[in-house]
Amino acid sequence: PNVDYLKESSIRMDENGSVLVNKNMETNVPDVYAGGDMVTFPLTVYDGVNVSIGHWQIAQYHGTL
């Protein structure tokens, strides 16, 4: 995913360049949310381990949250 435009922002990213979000898909900046294959998020069914899944179906699923 192209996240270059975020590199100069205050939004936290991991070492792979994914945006870090919480279980509600919120970034470290209040009221700023992200989803899809550009994020690392806690996967509930995997004991909350942070994962990044690069697939279009993730973006569709995150849109339903």
Side-chain angles (χ1 to χ4, degrees):
N2 184 357
V3 293
D4 290 342
Y5 65 98
L6 295 173
K7 289 183 179 175
E8 299 299 320
S9 75
S10 58
I11 292 177
R12 279 194 340 229
M13 300 171 76
D14 69 11
E15 63 279 352
N16 297 319
S18 293
V19 175
L20 295 168
V21 297
N22 63 23
K23 67 179 182 176
N24 298 315
M25 309 309 290
E26 187 173 17
T27 68
N28 62 299
V29 177
D31 298 321
V32 175
Y33 297 82
D37 59 357
M38 67 180 282
V39 301
T40 294
F41 62 99
L43 186 59
T44 305
V45 298
Y46 200 52
D47 292 329
V49 172
N50 283 334
V51 299
S52 179
I53 302 173
H55 197 279
W56 62 268
Q57 287 176 322
I58 281 296
Q60 285 184 327
Y61 173 72
H62 285 164
T64 66
L65 297 179

